[in-house]
Amino acid sequence: MAVPLHETGKASFDDIYDRPDPRDYYARMSDLDYRIPELAKPVFQQQIREYRASARVTTPTVLDIGCSYGVNAALLRFDTSMKELAEHYRSADGDRATLIARDRADLGTRDELPDVRFLGMDASAPALAYAKETGLLHDTVHADLESGEPTDAQREVLATADIIISTGCVGYVTEKTLARVATAHPRRRPWMAHFVLRMFDFTPIAAELAALGYRTEQAPGLFEQRRFASAAEQTQVLNTLSAKGIDTTDREADGWLYAGLYLSRPLPKHHADTEDQH
């Protein structure tokens, strides 16, 4: 079966984000060697450590934008790998309730980050519901902030975030979403760490964040995201990168999507007041 292309030029996996549990998601991603969340894990662990030391906050809150079934939370809290998660769900028998009960039980005995709160924001209600019911995410926001402001209730949840992370949402979301998340709290700005495919320009987001008091730096190196889902997707992405003057030799030309890492932190006057924060 041909994989449809999203308007961004990437393959569309919309059909696996609306399932009641993540079995199909992990099966499809495993087939494509999807690895960016795993490569991002040590970066996010370092951000948590640095935030805790810098802000003197014992229980920081991490918001994952485009979290789907709570993938980044699962990798961090279980200290596991994408391969192990795929096997965990591949071998799962029973209905959705059985899977939720198993994940809740595992989290109760294996949580490596009990002193971190995890939030998730996504356009998929079923994925968010699964992640929240298992306890992988402590709270969720089902919203499309490209099209409008968050509700008061959504803003209240978003305002608790200390660190914003993402491993694939940029391109689907723009500076509109990130600015609305960044300004959810009236007096402070969260840190941000975004992994962004090379086909998407982070410059407009960095400019918007700069206007809000952020300094953004691109970390050295590139990170494999996944294999191309089809020849059509590779052709489309190669054309897009070529038009941007980006050399794909030994990178996308060899069959992988690649991402860069952008770290955005508020300048001192925008740093969190820990009394305001928690």
Side-chain angles (χ1 to χ4, degrees), residues 6-10 168-174 195-205 218 225 237 240-241 244 246 257-260 262:
H6 186 267
E7 62 184 20
T8 61
K10 283 177 58 186
C169 76
V170 174
Y172 300 102
V173 307
T174 68
F195 286 82
V196 182
L197 289 175
R198 297 209 296 166
M199 62 191 290
F200 300 124
D201 184 5
F202 199 75
T203 304
I205 293 175
Q218 182 175 2
Q225 194 210 46
V237 170
T240 298
L241 292 170
K244 294 175 180 289
I246 297 173
L257 285 157
Y258 278 85
Y262 295 85

Side-chain angles (χ1 to χ4, degrees), residues 52-66:
R52 186 178 272 132
S54 171
R56 300 184 301 280
V57 173
T58 56
T59 307
T61 297
V62 176
L63 169 65
D64 184 4
I65 300 180

Side-chain angles (χ1 to χ4, degrees), residues 77-80 84 88 105-113:
R77 297 182 69 184
F78 288 133
D79 194 17
T80 189
E84 289 168 340
H88 171 78
D106 286 348
L107 197 58
T109 59
R110 291 178 52 198
D111 191 356
E112 297 291 326
L113 292 173

Side-chain angles (χ1 to χ4, degrees), residues 5-152:
L5 296 183
H6 186 267
E7 62 184 20
T8 61
K10 283 177 58 186
S12 173
F13 300 106
D14 290 350
D15 60 312
I16 59 173
Y17 289 109
D18 282 337
R19 307 292 171 88
D21 65 63
R23 282 178 281 201
D24 291 335
Y25 169 85
Y26 280 107
R28 184 82 65 85
M29 293 299 100
S30 178
D31 288 344
L32 297 174
D33 289 325
Y34 182 58
R35 61 184 58 179
I36 194 73
E38 188 171 339
L39 297 176
K41 184 171 77 166
V43 173
F44 296 154
Q45 289 169 325
Q46 181 67 17
Q47 294 298 301
I48 291 168
R49 285 192 296 268
E50 291 183 11
Y51 188 91
R52 186 178 272 132
S54 171
R56 300 184 301 280
V57 173
T58 56
T59 307
T61 297
V62 176
L63 169 65
D64 184 4
I65 300 180
C67 63
S68 68
Y69 294 92
V71 178
N72 286 314
L75 287 167
L76 288 162
R77 297 182 69 184
F78 288 133
D79 194 17
T80 189
S81 67
M82 288 299 292
K83 182 177 180 180
E84 289 168 340
L85 280 176
E87 178 57 28
H88 171 78
Y89 288 105
R90 188 194 67 77
S91 62
D93 294 322
D95 59 10
R96 178 178 184 274
T98 302
L99 262 67
I100 288 174
R102 185 175 79 159
D103 284 352
R104 288 189 71 87
D106 286 348
L107 197 58
T109 59
R110 291 178 52 198
D111 191 356
E112 297 291 326
L113 292 173
D115 53 355
V116 178
R117 291 183 68 246
F118 285 90
L119 311 176
M121 187 173 85
D122 203 275
S124 169
L128 286 176
Y130 186 90
K132 187 173 183 180
E133 289 177 51
T134 59
L136 282 170
L137 298 177
H138 296 89
D139 208 345
T140 59
V141 174
H142 179 228
D144 174 7
L145 299 188
E146 287 296 293
S147 59
E149 296 286 340
T151 65
D152 288 346

Side-chain angles (χ1 to χ4, degrees), residues 215-243:
R215 176 188 292 117
T216 296
E217 296 180 356
Q218 182 175 2
L222 293 172
F223 302 82
E224 295 171 333
Q225 194 210 46
R226 61 165 170 81
R227 296 185 185 278
F228 286 107
S230 67
E233 181 188 32
Q234 183 175 15
T235 297
Q236 183 70 35
V237 170
L238 289 176
N239 288 341
T240 298
L241 292 170
S242 177

